[in-house]
Amino acid sequence: MIYLQLFFEFLKIGMFAVGGGLATVPFLQALAEKYPWFDTAMLSNMIAVGESTPGPIGVNMATYAGITAAGIPGGIVATFGLILPSYCVILIVARILQKFRENRWVNAAFEGLRPAVTGLIAAAGLSVMRVALLSANAALTAELPALVSFIQWRECILYAVLLFVAEKWKKLHPIWFIAAGAVVGIVLKLG
């Protein structure tokens, strides 16, 4: 019985929690009041665990809640209930897009979306780079002399070297670059 309840409750959350994983929090609060599976005090632990583990936070929180309520099978059932609506929507959208893929209007829309998405990703990358390479004072002002005088030269050289290495060793798994970046960050902070 508990597995059916978990499945249907998380199916409802998956259908109506639009906007990302944190949109599941109000639904989880309601579950905490409705069922004895977990309480609202545990909700903060669920959010912390969900944010700190790999994967989408909503899925992590559903798994955590399901395991808390009914062990590992409960975690599997809750997670399946949460992702099922999204999976069905993706299948429907993929089917529709496949049907209209030869449509010149759809192709034109995708041609226009590619540079827009590329621009958004580049803007986010530049924003992160500005924060990573410039001191706080320089990042706040946009004047070129202030920016040039506050650039963290060690980090710039290091990033250039890492980009060169990454270009030469493209076939390495990205986790190696993440690990190398963490080690370099530790060395720079300690040095």
Side-chain angles (χ1 to χ4, degrees):
M1 182 67 179
I2 191 168
Y3 298 115
L4 280 174
Q5 287 177 326
L6 277 169
F7 177 77
F8 285 115
E9 289 296 336
F10 280 94
L11 182 72
K12 288 190 288 187
I13 292 172
M15 289 171 50
F16 299 110
V18 178
L22 289 175
T24 61
V25 172
F27 292 100
L28 291 172
Q29 284 176 328
L31 281 183
E33 295 168 4
K34 185 175 181 181
Y35 296 104
W37 301 334
F38 57 90
D39 57 13
T40 52
M42 286 180 63
L43 191 57
S44 62
N45 291 339
M46 291 170 61
I47 293 170
V49 170
E51 285 279 356
S52 62
T53 54
I57 184 174
V59 172
N60 292 344
M61 289 172 60
T63 305
Y64 187 98
I67 288 173
T68 302
I72 292 175
I76 292 168
V77 168
T79 303
F80 182 69
L82 183 79
I83 65 170
L84 185 62
S86 298
Y87 182 74
C88 293
V89 168
I90 296 276
L91 285 178
I92 293 167
V93 168
R95 189 76 133 189
I96 290 170
L97 282 179
Q98 186 177 10
K99 192 179 229 181
F100 291 102
R101 185 66 184 135
E102 300 303 319
N103 185 312
R104 68 183 184 122
W105 294 100
V106 173
N107 284 333
F110 279 120
E111 289 294 323
L113 285 174
R114 282 188 199 116
V117 170
T118 303
L120 289 171
I121 292 170
L126 288 173
S127 209
V128 169
M129 186 177 76
R130 185 181 73 200
V131 170
L133 295 179
L134 303 175
S135 71
N137 293 337
L140 294 175
T141 65
E143 298 171 2
L144 187 59
L147 292 177
V148 172
S149 66
F150 284 104
I151 290 179
Q152 308 291 331
W153 291 105
R154 285 189 317 183
E155 284 84 357
C156 284
I157 292 168
L158 179 66
Y159 292 140
V161 168
L162 287 175
L163 283 173
F164 176 75
V165 168
E167 182 64 30
K168 291 294 181 188
W169 293 337
K170 285 181 186 175
K171 294 187 182 202
L172 278 179
H173 195 277
I175 194 73
W176 292 108
F177 295 107
I178 293 169
V183 168
V184 169
I186 291 169
V187 168
L188 284 176
K189 279 292 186 192
L190 297 177

